[in-house]
């Protein structure tokens, strides 16, 4: 039986409202997808359930083993404010967790755009 082909995806980008969860992953020779780092302060870090060294098993019920980095990236990212379910396997005890994470806008940290204008002495 041939592997299931994914239908071409309609571009889901919404005018700069693209979101992500804040993980970097790598693919090893066996096509396993492992999380290399979790961006501090990101939705993934705040979930406290996704750690460097974990294996990423699936994204919204789509198995990621054997897929390209670009395919996985497009599964993980999506419109900011939407939820994605990551299934991760702990490197330590092999425990499997399903982690719901809400995507947040990527490409700018909130600290860089202060909302208040600092007021100094007159």
């Amino acid at each position: 039986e041939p592997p299931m082909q994914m239908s071409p995806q309609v571009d889901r980008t919404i005018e700069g409202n693209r979101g992500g969860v804040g993980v970097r992953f790598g693919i090893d020779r066996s096509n396993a997808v492992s999380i290399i780092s979790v961006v501090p302060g990101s939705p993934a870090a705040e979930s406290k359930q996704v750690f460097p060294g974990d294996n990423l098993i699936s994204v919204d019920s789509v198995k990621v083993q054997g897929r390209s980095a670009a395919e996985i990236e497009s599964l993980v990212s999506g419109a900011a404010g939407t939820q994605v379910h990551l299934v991760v396997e702990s490197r330590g005890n092999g425990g499997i967790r399903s982690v719901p994470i809400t995507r947040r806008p990527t490409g700018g940290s909130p600290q860089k755009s202060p909302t208040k204008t600092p007021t100094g002495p007159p």
Side-chain angles (χ1 to χ4, degrees), residues 10-21:
V10 178
D11 188 7
R12 291 181 303 175
T13 306
I14 301 170
E15 292 308 298
N17 196 21
R18 200 84 176 133
V21 299

Side-chain angles (χ1 to χ4, degrees), residues 5-80:
Q5 289 297 312
M6 297 226 4
S7 59
Q9 231 173 2
V10 178
D11 188 7
R12 291 181 303 175
T13 306
I14 301 170
E15 292 308 298
N17 196 21
R18 200 84 176 133
V21 299
V23 294
R24 294 198 172 88
F25 56 85
I27 302 171
D28 69 16
R29 283 192 204 135
S30 67
N31 283 327
V33 180
S34 59
I35 292 168
I36 295 169
S37 65
V38 177
V39 178
S42 69
E46 288 169 7
S47 78
K48 296 183 172 45
Q49 296 187 72
V50 180
F51 305 100
D54 286 351
N55 282 330
L56 181 60
I57 305 297
S58 68
V59 178
D60 284 340
S61 304
V62 179
K63 293 216 183 313
V64 296
Q65 185 163 2
R67 294 186 184 277
S68 70
E71 280 180 297
I72 298 164
E73 184 65 45
S74 76
L75 289 169
V76 173
S77 62

Side-chain angles (χ1 to χ4, degrees), residues 81-120:
T82 58
Q83 198 174 67
V84 61
H85 280 82
L86 304 184
V87 173
V88 293
E89 179 183 24
S90 170
R91 167 81 35 104
N93 59 16
I96 292 184
R97 302 180 296 282
S98 176
V99 187
I101 301 178
T102 300
R103 298 172 174 114
R104 283 214 298 262
T106 52
S109 69
Q111 297 99 317
K112 286 182 188 161
S113 51
T115 49
K116 288 183 192 159
T117 310
T119 52

